[in-house]
Amino acid sequence: MEKAVIFEKIGKNFGNTQALENVSFSINEREIFGLIGPDGAGKTTLMRILATLYLPDRGKAYLQGENVVDNYRRIRKKIGYMPGEFSLYPDLTVEENLKFFASVFNTTIQENYDLIKGLYSHIRPFSSRKAGDLSGGMKQKLALSCALIHRPKVLILDEPNTGVDAVSRDELWKMLHYLKGEGLTILVSTPYMDEAEKCDRIALMQKGKVMSINSPDKIVSEFGHQLYKIECENIYKALNCLKESPQTGDAYLFGQSIHFVPARENFIPDNLRNNLSQQGIENCIIEPVQPDIEDCFIDLMKT
């Protein structure tokens, strides 16, 4: 399978802060690849290196076989980049922004309209409105339209769903899968663990390092522990008790419940329920649960 992107031992420092350390992986052609991790994981820095906005201190990056440092002018014609913050011209209208970005790449809205019509149809009624006056979801659609207007080979999206509503998030992912079908390779970052399942493969990142790379299903299948969900009335008191219990391998809040990893394989839920009851925590529901990407991320952070 041909590689659209290759990172080879990428390192980057900002002063004494190491933003990336020895990052190596590749992205296949026509793949949706996700960078998953919290703020400070190094996702944005890695994307900006690929987008020729940062120089790596160590290592090399390639896009469709070309070194992104040596051939940055050609690389910029091959990529569509949508940064995390809204970066279009707020005083220009929707249509003016789109025409401007088309002109930068010597193309027109009409020439590549088929690629963006699914997005632009939503914002076309507001074509005369200034970009700065759009809602979060509409700004997202305009920014993505501008990133696509020259029909790039690789689309780079830095946390595109931050600050937008659930409907817009869902619409974006449908659009990304459509673009994949049109032949684009997509690199997308997100702090939302549930979005990992929408990618073909993901890299779990923390503090500038890649902890794991694989398909979401395979990463989940490698979770090597029993996992239980605990629901009770005083969840914070229960968590503190669990952290002190010799029966606990790990315990952490997970929404309105606790996810619990027993210290031993011969774990008996009734024994733990009785222990919690003796400490004044009644009506506990303890049941096995399947892990997801967030459980795997938490587990990898502690290994």
Side-chain angles (χ1 to χ4, degrees):
M1 189 174 293
E2 293 187 14
K3 305 299 182 184
V5 174
I6 299 174
F7 294 107
E8 293 182 350
K9 299 181 179 180
I10 295 292
K12 181 67 177 177
N13 288 65
F14 296 101
N16 294 325
T17 301
Q18 186 165 264
L20 294 171
E21 180 182 353
N22 200 33
V23 173
S24 297
F25 64 88
S26 61
I27 301 172
N28 299 321
E29 293 278 3
R30 299 190 176 193
E31 181 176 42
I32 299 178
F33 192 98
L35 300 179
I36 314 297
D39 291 344
K43 307 185 302 296
T44 294
T45 301
L46 190 62
M47 287 185 151
R48 288 181 178 176
I49 288 173
L50 185 62
T52 76
L53 300 175
Y54 284 165
L55 293 173
D57 295 330
R58 298 169 297 281
K60 296 179 180 180
Y62 300 89
L63 189 143
Q64 293 197 320
E66 295 192 275
N67 186 298
V68 301
V69 175
D70 297 339
N71 304 300
Y72 70 94
R73 292 185 185 276
R74 289 200 296 271
I75 294 296
R76 289 176 180 177
K77 294 178 181 179
K78 293 183 175 183
I79 64 170
Y81 174 57
M82 182 174 159
E85 65 280 356
F86 184 68
S87 59
L88 304 183
Y89 294 97
D91 292 332
L92 296 183
T93 67
V94 167
E95 187 173 7
E96 288 169 343
N97 266 286
L98 200 53
K99 284 183 175 179
F100 170 77
F101 281 95
S103 69
V104 168
F105 293 98
N106 296 314
T107 187
T108 64
I109 297 174
Q110 293 74 25
E111 186 174 349
N112 295 314
Y113 185 72
D114 62 306
L115 191 63
I116 67 166
K117 63 183 179 181
L119 289 165
Y120 194 59
S121 61
H122 291 278
I123 56 178
R124 192 165 193 171
F126 311 101
S127 60
S128 60
R129 182 176 296 182
K130 289 185 177 181
D133 295 332
L134 295 173
S135 66
M138 291 299 177
K139 285 180 177 177
Q140 175 209 62
K141 291 179 175 64
L142 176 58
L144 184 52
S145 295
C146 290
L148 289 168
I149 196 58
H150 60 297
R151 196 175 286 273
K153 300 295 185 182
V154 177
L155 184 61
I156 304 169
L157 306 176
D158 190 359
E159 299 193 0
N161 278 332
T162 300
V164 302
D165 59 271
V167 173
S168 294
R169 285 176 62 183
D170 186 59
E171 289 174 346
L172 174 80
W173 280 103
K174 288 178 180 177
M175 185 64 185
L176 295 188
H177 283 276
Y178 164 77
L179 294 171
K180 174 189 171 182
E182 290 294 303
L184 272 71
T185 301
I186 301 167
L187 175 61
V188 57
S189 69
T190 178
Y192 302 123
M193 297 292 171
D194 61 305
E195 292 190 342
E197 298 173 1
K198 303 178 187 294
C199 301
D200 297 314
R201 288 191 304 141
I202 59 174
L204 300 181
M205 296 186 67
Q206 170 73 350
K207 295 182 178 179
K209 298 180 180 179
V210 173
M211 299 187 295
S212 181
I213 298 175
N214 218 322
S215 67
D217 287 345
K218 287 185 178 178
I219 287 178
V220 170
S221 71
E222 293 169 356
F223 187 83
H225 314 286
Q226 294 176 300
L227 185 66
Y228 291 82
K229 180 173 71 172
I230 299 176
E231 295 177 327
C232 55
E233 295 174 357
N234 194 332
I235 192 170
Y236 296 103
K237 182 178 179 181
L239 182 62
N240 288 332
C241 291
L242 289 170
K243 288 184 179 294
E244 300 296 325
S245 172
Q247 297 186 66
T248 302
D250 198 8
Y252 46 90
L253 292 176
F254 200 94
Q256 299 300 311
S257 65
I258 297 170
H259 274 197
F260 171 82
V261 177
R264 301 177 184 84
E265 292 185 3
N266 60 347
F267 170 70
I268 301 174
D270 283 343
N271 291 345
L272 179 61
R273 189 179 293 108
N274 292 335
N275 289 344
L276 291 173
S277 178
Q278 292 172 8
Q279 299 180 68
I281 303 167
E282 304 287 351
N283 303 317
C284 287
I285 299 173
I286 304 175
E287 56 187 11
V289 65
Q290 292 297 315
D292 65 11
I293 291 294
E294 187 167 352
D295 294 300
C296 296
F297 190 92
I298 291 170
D299 182 56
L300 287 166
M301 286 177 59
K302 296 178 179 180
T303 58

